[in-house]
Amino acid sequence: MRTSPARRIAVIAAAAGACVVALAGPAFAHVTVQPGSAPQGGYTAVDFRVPNENDTASTVKLEVNLPMDHPLASVRTLPMPGWTAVIEKAKLDKPIKVHGNDVNEAVSKITWTADAGVKVAPGQFQEFRVSIGPLPTDTEKLTFKALQSYDNGDVVRWIDEAKDGQPEPAKPAPVLTLTKAAAPGAAPSASAAPADSHGHGDAATATAETTATAAKSDDSTARVLGVVGIVVGVIGAALGVAGLRRKSGSAAS
C-alpha cells in the first residue's frame, strides 16, 4: 500500500516538531541553581531558577533547604517585590570557623511566599537570588533540596540526588558545583565574586553574573530558532518534492 505525499509530509513534520520540543524543553525543565558553579572558599550570589511546569496552576511558594553537612555561615536574600522571604536557622552539632570566629548556627531553610495577587503563571519562570558563603573547600558540590508549591495545592519535590552512572532522576535537586579556587596571584575568573570588607560579593559582580546567565539563555534561544529553521526547510523541501511528483504524474497521463 502506497503512502500519499500528504501523509508522508505530515509524518516528516511531526518528527521534526518532536525534535524541536526535545531540544527546547530542557531549557527551563527543572528548578536549578544559576550559575551552576562557583569557586571553593569564596562568596557568591546565585539564583534559584523556578519554572512553572503546570498548565493550569501557578507557583506561589518556594522552599529551599540548605545543606547542613556543609553549612553556610552567611546567607542573605535579595528583596523581591511581591514575595516574602523567611530564613530559618539551626544549631550546628560542631561549630565552624569563619574568619577565625566560631559559628554555632547556620541557615537551614529559606521560604519565599507570594503576596496576594502575585504568582508565577503557566509558561513563566522566576529567579530567587541569594548571597552565600564562604563556600566549603572539602566538597565538590552543594545540594539544595527544594519544594515548589502551586495555588491548586500541588507540591513538586525537587529532592532527588543524581548518582554516577545512572540516568538523571525525574525530580533532581538543584546542585551547585564547586571548583578549585584560583592560585594566589592568578587573575580572578569571571564567576568569582570579589568580597567587600564584610566578605560579601559586590554589585558589579552580581551584574556580571546576571549578564552571563542572560547570555546562556540567549544562546539556548538561538539554538532552538536554528532548529526551527531546519524544520521549516525540511517541510518546504518535502512539499516541493511532492509537487514535482504530482506534476510528473499529470504529464505522464
Side-chain angles (χ1 to χ4, degrees):
M1 181 172 132
R2 297 181 60 188
T3 304
S4 68
R7 183 177 179 82
R8 285 197 297 272
I9 292 170
V11 171
I12 293 172
C19 291
V20 173
V21 172
L23 289 173
F28 297 114
H30 308 315
V31 172
T32 57
V33 179
Q34 299 293 333
S37 65
Q40 294 176 338
Y43 291 78
T44 191
V46 297
D47 293 315
F48 290 98
R49 181 175 294 173
V50 181
N52 192 324
E53 296 184 315
N54 196 312
D55 294 332
T56 59
S58 299
T59 298
V60 292
K61 185 167 72 172
L62 174 70
E63 301 170 65
V64 175
N65 293 279
L66 280 69
M68 297 306 290
D69 55 342
H70 293 94
L72 299 169
S74 175
V75 177
R76 303 187 183 196
T77 60
L78 181 71
M80 291 180 56
W83 293 82
T84 300
V86 175
I87 289 180
E88 298 180 27
K89 295 184 177 181
K91 291 289 185 180
L92 300 177
D93 295 332
K94 181 180 180 181
I96 57 175
K97 286 283 188 181
V98 179
H99 305 304
N101 299 316
D102 285 338
V103 175
N104 297 297
E105 63 177 13
V107 174
S108 58
K109 184 166 76 169
I110 308 173
T111 301
W112 287 270
T113 304
D115 297 341
V118 177
K119 59 187 177 182
V120 185
Q124 298 179 345
F125 74 95
Q126 182 61 271
E127 292 182 335
F128 301 83
R129 172 155 284 209
V130 181
S131 171
I132 57 176
L135 300 176
T137 58
D138 58 348
T139 183
E140 296 181 347
K141 66 178 182 179
L142 292 177
T143 300
F144 301 87
K145 297 185 177 182
L147 275 65
Q148 179 181 9
S149 298
Y150 289 88
D151 56 8
N152 66 351
D154 290 349
V155 177
V156 181
R157 300 170 61 84
W158 303 97
I159 63 173
D160 298 331
E161 298 189 41
K163 297 181 179 179
D164 293 339
Q166 296 187 13
E168 182 184 61
K171 302 296 179 185
V175 174
L176 176 65
T177 300
L178 301 180
T179 60
K180 294 296 183 182
S189 67
S191 61
D196 57 22
S197 59
H198 299 289
H200 302 103
D202 59 19
T205 301
T207 301
E209 290 172 349
T210 302
T211 302
T213 301
K216 292 180 182 178
S217 178
D218 290 343
D219 182 59
S220 297
T221 301
R223 287 198 298 269
V224 172
L225 290 176
V227 174
V228 171
I230 294 173
V231 171
V232 172
V234 170
I235 295 174
L239 288 171
V241 171
L244 288 174
R245 288 182 176 177
R246 286 198 297 272
K247 186 174 180 181
S248 299
S250 299
S253 61

